[in-house]
Amino acid sequence: MRGVRISSLGIAAFRGISEPVRFDLSAPLTLVFAPNGTGKTTMCEAAEWLLTGQVERLKDGKIFDAHVLRSKFSMEGQTPTVEAGLFVAGKHGFLTRVAEGMQSPASWGETNDAATRLGPHELLSLLAPAAAADEAHHLTAINLRQRWLKGTRFLSAEALAALVDTDVETIERRTQVFADLLGIRHLLDAERQCEKYANEMGARLRTLSQLIDQQRSEALELEGALASEELPADANVSARSEAAAAAKMLNMDDSADLESSNLVNRLEALTAVHRRQRHAFDERSRAAERVEAQWSARRLLETAVLDNTNLEAKLAAALAEIEEKGSAAGALVSQHMLEREVADEAARTLANAKDRLTYLASALLTALLDAQLLADAPQSLAMLDEQIAEARWTVAARRDRRRELAALKASMEHAVSEDRRLRLINVEITQRESDRISETELAVLRNDAINADALARAARSALDATAEPVARLQSAARDFLVHDHGGLTLCPVCAHKWQDPGALRAAIATALAFAPDVTQSARIAAELASETARVARARLDGALSAYTAIDTLEKERAALVASVEQRTREIVRLGLASDEPLAAISAAENRLDVADALAELVAACDALTPTLPGGPAPLLPRETVVLSLLDRLTESFLAREQHVQLQLAELAKAIETSIAARDELRAGHAGTQQRLRECREGLRDKATELAILRAAWESAAPQTEWSDSALAQLKAELAAESRCLQSAEAHIEAARAAWASEARCQRLEALKRALAPLLEHQKRMTDRIAAAHRARAEFQEAYATISRKRVQDLSHVVNSLFARMHANRVFDRINLGQDSNFLHWLADAGSEQLDPGTDFSQGQRQDLALSLFLARARSLGGTFFLDEPVIHLDDLNRVGLLDSLRAIVLDSSRLLNLVITTSSRALARHLIEKFAGIGPVETPAGFLHPLRVLELDGNGRSGVSMRTIYPLR
């Protein structure tokens, strides 16, 4: 048996499957049906990881980390585990792989208990021995075998599309898929490695060639320069003497070694010292030039700085004095503003008080008019206060009196209905008096009812005492009559008194005949006694009902009489007229309104008078006539308003004067501040110029007082130093020129010595690149030859499967491409040739891709996983695919088994219908049904469960 065949697959804590699930894959065709997100792809990835140790879709570049396999919903400490029962080369065994960190160790053995750990190279050599050459390096062999297992055993949606996709962007992917599918990936990788090696060597060769060209150009330039120079007899000696002269002029120690080995360093040191001295000289020269340019202005600068310093002090003192006066002026303005705000508030208070008192006075006059208490004769506030005593009451007392009047008024509104009800009650009591009996007669009725109840109870007791014993006696007698004496003529019980059973039976029969009459007599007596007791109780209840009704009426009459008496007492207590109480209540309420208005007006006047401007004079004297209240208020407030307006006018004038004084000080402050700012800016500018001039002098002549003689001496020193530096620079350049000629000779010799090995290395690299191109061509030819042969071997199977799958027959056959473009498939349709990449529909391309994969699967044998292979197929093509699957399974049940995933319930139902009439077929595990349909339910969070929906047994 060829290939690797999986008979069972167990998965735990892996990606979308958190709890352990075991798949039975022993049938030639296993369909795993489940909705999306249930675990179908997880099952395929688990099988891929078990066989190869990787999941291609989950790789990060070239790195695969087993941490990504752990289920997010598994228990803490639970590691991803996949185990399977395998047939490898006809032998059965168990393979287990566990994720430990980034690694995924695998164990293999004939049983789970006897399994031993295998390394990646050992395991892959067992599972895919022919996928890599025996002489391949183990790392290369691992990679080749992993890719071969993924390409030949697993068909994903991406690989399915790549099998017939001819786009330029995807041709590389298609080539790799075919190489994996045909088992010649090692040849393709070898060709790519040769090409990669040639490209890398070419890049290095180009770099080396550029270096050789550069060195050749430099050598030619040196030869030309040396040919045009006239070298001294001894360039080395001339360079040392020039260097010594330069060192002497720069005041350097000339005792240093000036041999040729140190001459370059000596020249660099001389150049550095010369540059430092030249830099210092340039700085002093520039500083001396600045000093000389401004030498005549230094006295003026010193005088200007002194004058501006004195002026700054005077202006600062004047500014401080102005600020002090301005603060006082601002405080005075604020004080006047505050006083005006107080006066404005007094005016507003006066206006509010006037409005309130005017409103209260109007309310008082209105209340007097409503109460008809406004007399025609002059009436003062004092007289009104004496007349309305309620005004001197407290607010609570007046409020209580209002409540009492309101309650009395409400009671008076019900008086008429209460009088009418009282008359009706008196009439009804008079009518019911005739129905009421005396106490003696009531006692007789009560005694009769009690006696009748006693007689009825006695009759019911007698009935119960008679009926139950008679019934028990009747039952016992009937039992006795049916008693069998067992053939005896004399029964000891029967013969005790009667001497003869027949006589006893006759007596019992006679007693049974009279028993119902006894019971009926007792029942009639009991019913007669109960009726007598009911009549007596009814007569007693009627008499008691008359008594109860009269008592209820008398209580209601007493309550009504008490209400009338209470109302009368309340009228008297409140001092109201009893002949017209409602009018008296209304008058009392009007007096209370007048009292409230008068009390509120007086209280408001007393409270507001001390708080209002204009003096303590009362707003409304006690002798004010009531009819002239509003005029009196107007006069009182007019005088006070005039006082306030006069005060506001005086404050406005004071504010205007103080603001003018403050603004004048502010203007003076701004002018003085501007002069001070200008003085300080001038002082800063002059001081800065003077400081710059002093800094320049210090830089040109450190620690020397400036004077005309010092300036002349500085100029002489700078001239001498300039001549010395120029002479030293000439000696250094002469030494450098003499030494440069010698250095060019040495550099030329060094370049000639270095070019020889570089040229030899260039030749070796050119030979290696040529050998790599030859090897690449040989690998390419071998890849094309072997792949073409293997594809041709598959072509008849592919055409047969494609014709069977493709229900709507358009194409006659599928032809392979020619020469190096053999992977470009074409389809014959009569006299036309069509390109599947452009002329096929998505479903037709998928049929062709499935035909290619299934044809290769038949040639290899073992287990193959197809993840969602029917996405783009219509119903007819799906039926054609199912026919092909049935034919493959029946023909190759011992060689291969297919594992297909789908989310289509219709596909599962059609597949079951296709295999419904087929019996068991031969497999490595024995005779089994050719189809098994497994249904998954749940998800990684809630748990995945599995059940077998076909076959049912």
Side-chain angles (χ1 to χ4, degrees):
M1 181 172 44
R2 305 187 304 271
V4 177
R5 181 158 181 162
I6 302 176
S7 58
S8 63
L9 183 68
I11 306 172
F14 186 95
R15 301 285 290 169
I17 299 179
S18 54
E19 299 297 328
V21 177
R22 178 165 288 277
F23 296 86
D24 186 354
L25 307 180
S26 57
L29 175 59
T30 301
L31 181 71
V32 181
F33 162 68
N36 291 332
T38 307
K40 304 187 299 297
T41 302
T42 297
M43 179 199 68
C44 298
E45 291 176 347
E48 180 184 349
W49 179 63
L50 176 68
L51 297 179
T52 67
Q54 296 180 350
V55 178
E56 186 68 25
R57 188 176 68 88
L58 303 178
K59 291 174 66 175
D60 185 7
K62 295 184 178 181
I63 300 175
F64 176 76
D65 189 350
H67 285 104
V68 301
L69 302 178
R70 185 180 182 276
S71 172
K72 305 297 184 182
F73 305 102
S74 60
M75 297 178 61
E76 187 68 25
Q78 192 174 5
T79 58
T81 303
V82 180
E83 58 181 10
L86 300 179
F87 288 94
V88 180
K91 295 183 179 179
H92 188 265
F94 293 91
L95 178 62
T96 303
R97 192 180 291 275
V98 180
E100 295 180 358
M102 294 182 62
Q103 305 301 320
S104 304
S107 301
W108 165 261
E110 294 182 359
T111 62
N112 277 327
D113 298 334
T116 58
R117 179 171 292 190
L118 296 181
H121 180 62
E122 296 173 317
L123 177 61
L124 291 171
S125 299
L126 175 67
L127 299 179
D134 294 337
E135 62 273 11
H137 189 272
H138 69 279
L139 294 179
T140 304
I142 289 174
N143 187 31
L144 291 172
R145 290 183 171 114
Q146 285 176 335
R147 292 182 178 180
W148 186 84
L149 286 171
K150 294 173 188 175
T152 58
R153 300 290 166 181
F154 300 92
L155 182 63
S156 63
E158 177 190 5
L160 186 62
L163 283 173
V164 293
D165 198 349
T166 58
D167 293 343
V168 177
E169 293 80 4
T170 59
I171 192 64
E172 176 65 21
R173 174 61 180 155
R174 180 169 180 252
T175 303
Q176 294 176 359
V177 171
F178 262 103
D180 291 335
L181 185 63
L182 300 177
I184 54 175
R185 182 61 178 267
H186 61 286
L187 296 176
L188 179 63
D189 288 345
E191 176 192 346
R192 301 292 167 77
Q193 290 294 332
C194 290
E195 183 179 5
K196 180 181 178 182
Y197 176 78
N199 292 335
E200 291 177 354
M201 291 297 292
R204 294 167 58 186
L205 178 61
R206 286 191 294 273
T207 303
L208 181 61
S209 298
Q210 291 176 359
L211 178 61
I212 293 174
D213 293 340
Q214 290 174 358
Q215 292 186 358
R216 280 176 173 171
S217 298
E218 185 180 357
L220 292 175
E221 291 177 359
L222 290 174
E223 288 177 351
L226 291 174
S228 62
E229 289 180 354
E230 293 182 2
L231 296 178
D234 192 349
N236 198 0
V237 174
S238 175
R240 288 199 301 272
S241 62
E242 293 291 341
K248 182 178 181 181
M249 300 192 72
L250 293 174
N251 296 323
M252 288 184 62
D253 185 11
D254 57 355
S255 61
D257 185 10
L258 296 179
E259 295 297 330
S260 59
S261 59
N262 295 323
L263 186 57
V264 176
N265 295 336
R266 184 64 174 174
L267 290 175
E268 293 298 328
L270 287 171
T271 302
V273 172
H274 177 267
R275 288 176 179 174
R276 284 198 298 272
Q277 293 185 8
R278 169 59 70 179
H279 178 71
F281 171 76
D282 292 340
E283 290 291 331
R284 291 182 65 197
S285 297
R286 285 192 292 271
E289 291 173 359
R290 287 196 297 271
V291 170
E292 187 177 5
Q294 295 182 340
W295 187 256
S296 60
R298 62 187 181 88
R299 298 296 182 188
L300 296 176
L301 288 174
E302 290 175 345
T303 303
V305 168
L306 181 60
D307 293 343
N308 283 334
T309 301
N310 296 332
L311 180 60
E312 180 189 15
K314 292 178 181 180
L315 291 175
L319 188 63
E321 182 179 359
I322 293 174
E323 289 177 351
E324 183 178 358
K325 292 180 179 180
S327 298
L332 183 60
V333 172
S334 299
Q335 180 181 355
H336 290 327
M337 289 288 188
L338 182 60
E339 291 175 356
R340 186 173 65 178
E341 291 178 0
V342 172
D344 288 338
E345 182 63 27
R348 287 191 292 271
T349 303
L350 192 62
N352 294 335
K354 180 181 179 180
D355 293 340
R356 175 158 179 74
L357 292 178
T358 302
Y359 168 76
L360 293 177
S362 301
L364 176 60
L365 293 174
T366 302
L368 287 170
L369 287 173
D370 293 340
Q372 298 180 357
L373 296 176
L374 193 61
D376 295 335
Q379 187 181 20
S380 65
L381 287 176
M383 295 170 61
L384 183 61
D385 188 46
E386 290 295 331
Q387 180 183 354
I388 307 298
E390 289 88 343
R392 295 186 296 275
W393 293 0
T394 63
V395 176
R398 289 195 296 273
R399 186 169 54 250
D400 293 340
R401 177 55 59 90
R402 283 185 184 279
R403 281 199 299 269
E404 292 170 352
L405 291 173
L408 180 58
K409 186 176 182 179
S411 178
M412 292 300 298
E413 292 174 354
H414 296 289
V416 177
S417 61
E418 289 178 354
D419 291 342
R420 187 183 304 111
R421 178 60 181 165
L422 184 58
R423 288 194 298 272
L424 291 175
I425 288 174
N426 290 331
V427 171
E428 190 172 356
I429 289 175
T430 301
Q431 291 175 353
R432 288 182 177 273
E433 281 294 338
S434 61
D435 297 334
R436 187 162 60 176
I437 62 177
S438 64
E439 290 292 336
T440 303
E441 291 173 338
L442 183 62
V444 172
L445 291 176
R446 187 178 287 110
N447 189 35
D448 291 345
I450 292 172
N451 293 334
D453 287 341
L455 291 176
R457 286 194 299 272
R460 283 195 298 273
S461 298
L463 175 63
D464 294 340
T466 302
E468 185 176 357
V470 168
R472 287 200 303 270
L473 180 61
Q474 285 178 327
S475 177
R478 291 189 184 96
D479 292 341
F480 181 78
L481 290 177
V482 299
H483 176 63
D484 185 9
H485 289 78
L488 298 176
T489 57
L490 292 177
C491 175
V493 176
C494 300
H496 176 68
K497 181 177 180 180
W498 303 96
Q499 301 299 322
D500 183 11
L504 177 60
R505 291 177 181 275
I508 291 174
T510 303
L512 289 175
F514 286 99
D517 297 336
V518 174
T519 304
Q520 183 65 21
S521 298
R523 182 176 291 106
I524 292 172
E527 291 176 353
L528 181 60
S530 297
E531 180 64 20
T532 303
R534 187 188 63 76
V535 172
R537 176 59 63 184
R539 292 173 59 192
L540 177 61
D541 292 341
L544 291 175
S545 176
Y547 266 97
T548 302
I550 292 173
D551 288 343
T552 303
L553 291 172
E554 287 178 346
K555 290 178 181 179
E556 186 177 358
R557 181 174 63 181
L560 291 174
V561 171
S563 177
V564 172
E565 293 176 351
Q566 176 63 27
R567 191 160 46 247
T568 304
R569 287 194 300 271
E570 192 67 16
I571 290 173
V572 174
R573 187 180 68 81
L574 295 176
L576 304 176
S578 59
D579 52 350
E580 293 184 3
L582 290 176
I585 291 172
S586 179
E589 289 177 343
N590 288 335
R591 284 180 60 85
L592 287 175
D593 292 339
V594 174
D596 287 340
L598 180 59
E600 190 172 2
L601 177 61
V602 172
C605 287
D606 295 341
L608 292 174
T609 298
T611 63
L612 297 178
L619 296 170
L620 289 174
R622 304 294 287 174
E623 62 273 10
T624 302
V625 178
V626 175
L627 290 176
S628 62
L629 278 177
L630 298 178
D631 296 337
R632 180 59 181 169
L633 283 174
T634 302
E635 294 174 0
S636 299
F637 278 103
L638 182 59
R640 294 175 184 267
E641 288 172 352
Q642 290 175 352
H643 173 74
V644 172
Q645 292 301 324
L646 179 60
Q647 186 179 4
L648 285 172
E650 293 175 352
L651 287 174
K653 184 177 181 181
I655 290 172
E656 183 179 358
T657 303
S658 59
I659 288 176
R662 184 193 62 185
D663 292 344
E664 183 178 357
L665 289 172
R666 284 181 176 176
H669 181 273
T672 305
Q673 192 174 37
Q674 179 63 28
R675 290 175 60 198
L676 179 60
R677 188 181 301 111
E678 293 174 355
C679 177
R680 286 175 175 170
E681 289 177 356
L683 176 61
R684 183 175 61 252
D685 295 341
K686 298 299 181 181
T688 301
E689 291 182 19
L690 185 60
I692 292 174
L693 186 58
R694 288 186 180 275
W697 174 259
E698 184 65 25
S699 177
Q703 299 180 356
T704 303
E705 291 294 332
W706 56 8
S707 62
D708 294 337
S709 59
L711 180 61
Q713 184 179 357
L714 175 61
K715 291 179 180 179
E717 291 177 358
L718 290 175
E721 187 174 354
S722 177
R723 290 191 297 271
C724 181
L725 288 173
Q726 289 176 357
S727 178
E729 183 178 6
H731 287 298
I732 292 173
E733 290 302 323
R736 193 180 298 279
W739 178 248
S741 298
E742 181 66 21
R744 278 193 288 272
C745 293
Q746 295 177 1
R747 175 60 180 166
L748 181 59
E749 292 297 327
L751 287 174
K752 289 179 179 180
R753 289 193 301 270
L755 275 173
L758 290 178
L759 292 172
E760 183 179 355
H761 185 49
Q762 183 184 35
K763 183 178 181 303
R764 288 197 303 269
M765 291 181 67
T766 303
D767 294 341
R768 290 177 182 177
I769 291 173
H773 284 304
R774 289 193 301 273
R776 176 181 177 277
E778 292 177 2
F779 280 121
Q780 185 177 23
E781 183 179 358
Y783 170 77
T785 302
I786 296 174
S787 59
R788 185 182 302 107
K789 181 179 183 306
R790 292 188 179 180
V791 169
Q792 288 173 350
D793 293 342
L794 293 176
S795 62
H796 68 284
V797 180
V798 170
N799 275 287
S800 176
L801 290 175
F802 181 71
R804 195 162 192 169
M805 288 185 195
H806 195 51
N808 188 5
R809 186 175 182 85
V810 178
F811 313 107
D812 298 328
R813 69 177 279 106
I814 301 299
N815 295 318
L816 304 180
Q818 300 298 323
D819 300 328
S820 61
N821 200 21
F822 74 94
L823 292 181
H824 189 183
W825 300 67
L826 298 174
D828 289 342
S831 60
E832 299 292 334
Q833 274 197 334
L834 303 179
D835 185 350
T838 57
D839 299 325
F840 275 20
S841 68
Q842 191 71 13
Q844 291 169 338
R845 292 168 62 191
Q846 187 167 325
D847 282 339
L848 178 56
L850 287 171
S851 301
L852 294 172
F853 185 81
L854 293 175
R856 179 60 173 160
R858 290 189 60 194
S859 66
L860 292 175
T863 299
F864 300 87
F865 290 84
L866 291 82
D867 192 11
E868 294 282 2
V870 295
I871 296 176
H872 300 289
L873 300 184
D874 57 20
D875 292 341
L876 291 177
N877 280 10
R878 185 183 294 117
V879 172
L881 172 63
L882 300 187
D883 289 339
S884 300
L885 292 176
R886 182 175 62 179
I888 292 173
V889 166
L890 296 180
D891 184 54
S892 308
S893 62
R894 296 185 67 257
L895 299 178
L896 61 80
N897 64 330
L898 303 177
V899 181
I900 301 176
T901 68
T902 183
S903 58
S904 171
R905 187 176 294 276
L907 177 66
R909 184 177 67 253
H910 293 164
L911 198 60
I912 292 173
E913 292 173 355
K914 286 291 183 182
F915 284 88
I918 301 176
V921 297
E922 185 179 2
T923 69
F927 283 88
L928 299 173
H929 198 281
L931 172 66
R932 177 175 284 107
V933 180
L934 305 176
E935 182 178 11
L936 302 181
D937 189 21
N939 52 58
R941 183 175 182 180
S942 61
V944 176
S945 61
M946 183 188 68
R947 67 188 184 97
T948 302
I949 62 175
Y950 185 82
L952 297 179
R953 292 176 299 168

